[in-house]
Amino acid sequence: MSSLDKMLSLLDVFTPAAPVWTTEDLIRYSGAPASTCYRYLKTLHSVGLLARVANGSYVLGPRIPEMDRTMRLCDPVYIAGSPVIQQLTEETGHSSLLCILFSESIMCVQQALGKHAPPELFSRGQRRPLVAGASAKIILAYLPLHQLRVIFTKHRKSIAAVGLGADWERFKQALKQIRQAEYAMTTGEYNAGIVSIAAPLFNGAGDVLGSLAVAASTSHVDPVAFGAIADRVIEAGREVSRRIASAPNVVALPARAVG
């Protein structure tokens, strides 16, 4: 890792479970000499990525929410999709999500919560692997073959575990079936007790950017009956894709990289 990589990796330790870190613990985590880590912390603090609190400890700094605000104002998936998923939740009564492809993972960028939203529901800023769950599977189904080969090589055990095939040919066939259906539906695959239906989101060139999903708790819906809203989810995904393609300055929005 470069010095820059090591410095930025310090941000990764700040989580909901561990939001405050002492200088000493950060030095131990970094594995760098104390003088080097102090320099990292000084730089991160000076640009607002970290903030000092009592007893020489640190928390994430004000630059983080400032950048999040910029993303909300500029991200075409968030802008195009937010009103669509809000309407979808009002129509169906179920929670709706917008997710984007981010390297070999997916990240939630917006959600509209239904009345009985599951407490474990994917929410803005959360990231998870690009394998399990409807939101991930529908994105996989539209990736080019060269990217799928990389993913299959790295994650073949996880792919087999979620029913996408134990070998390359079965994997391709499973994704072809999802493309033909134009949606993916899973029950309890990533989070137990959650059923979800997802449709793809595309840029103006037809490259997959992410997914739109509706999710509910199996304690409040029958999964079989829930499947009846698949056509509505597909149409909502198409509407978001149309809005992305027609919005000014984002027609050429590129697909996120994989690998």
Side-chain angles (χ1 to χ4, degrees):
M1 295 174 66
S2 68
S3 295
L4 180 59
D5 290 333
K6 291 178 181 178
M7 181 179 71
L8 293 177
S9 72
L10 291 175
L11 300 175
D12 294 338
V13 305
F14 294 89
T15 66
V20 182
W21 283 71
T22 66
T23 302
E24 291 74 19
D25 285 341
L26 288 169
I27 291 172
R28 281 193 290 271
Y29 171 83
S30 72
S35 59
T36 301
C37 192
Y38 279 120
R39 188 167 66 251
Y40 292 163
L41 294 175
K42 181 179 179 180
T43 299
L44 292 171
H45 178 263
S46 67
V47 297
L49 292 175
L50 289 180
R52 291 194 189 98
V53 292
N55 302 319
S57 296
Y58 287 87
V59 296
L60 291 177
R63 188 75 177 107
I64 304 293
E66 185 177 36
M67 289 188 291
D68 181 68
R69 177 180 179 273
T70 299
M71 288 192 67
R72 290 174 187 264
L73 293 174
C74 301
D75 177 26
V77 174
Y78 179 93
I79 294 169
S82 292
V84 175
I85 63 168
Q86 185 61 48
Q87 181 180 355
L88 188 58
T89 290
E90 292 172 1
E91 289 180 12
T92 65
H94 304 307
S95 300
S96 303
L97 309 171
L98 292 172
C99 297
I100 60 168
L101 173 62
F102 178 57
S103 188
E104 292 179 24
S105 63
I106 61 170
M107 176 173 284
C108 179
V109 296
Q110 179 64 313
Q111 75 271 33
L113 300 181
K115 183 178 180 180
H116 300 291
E120 306 85 2
L121 191 67
F122 208 27
S123 60
R124 178 173 172 84
Q126 285 188 309
R127 187 153 54 119
R128 69 191 201 196
L130 182 60
V131 178
S135 295
K137 283 184 170 180
I138 194 63
I139 296 172
L140 277 178
Y142 289 90
L143 290 177
L145 283 178
H146 71 277
Q147 293 181 341
L148 289 175
R149 285 187 181 277
V150 174
I151 293 169
F152 183 76
T153 299
K154 291 184 178 180
H155 306 288
R156 61 187 307 160
K157 289 184 178 179
S158 298
I159 287 169
V162 296
L164 286 177
D167 59 55
W168 172 244
E169 291 302 321
R170 291 179 183 177
F171 180 49
K172 288 195 300 180
Q173 183 59 34
L175 296 182
K176 180 180 178 180
Q177 291 174 352
I178 293 174
R179 286 196 305 275
Q180 290 174 338
E182 297 185 70
Y183 73 94
M185 179 173 174
T186 59
T187 301
E189 194 169 273
Y190 189 81
N191 282 323
I194 294 181
V195 58
S196 181
I197 297 173
L201 302 178
F202 302 101
N203 62 11
D207 302 314
V208 66
L209 294 175
S211 59
L212 178 155
V214 173
S217 170
T218 53
S219 63
H220 288 95
V221 300
D222 171 53
V224 175
F226 185 74
I229 68 170
D231 286 346
R232 182 65 187 91
V233 176
I234 292 170
E235 179 50 40
R238 290 172 178 167
E239 174 61 20
V240 175
S241 297
R242 284 193 291 267
R243 292 182 180 214
I244 291 171
S246 62
N249 304 321
V250 296
V251 174
L253 180 70
R256 273 70 172 186
V258 171

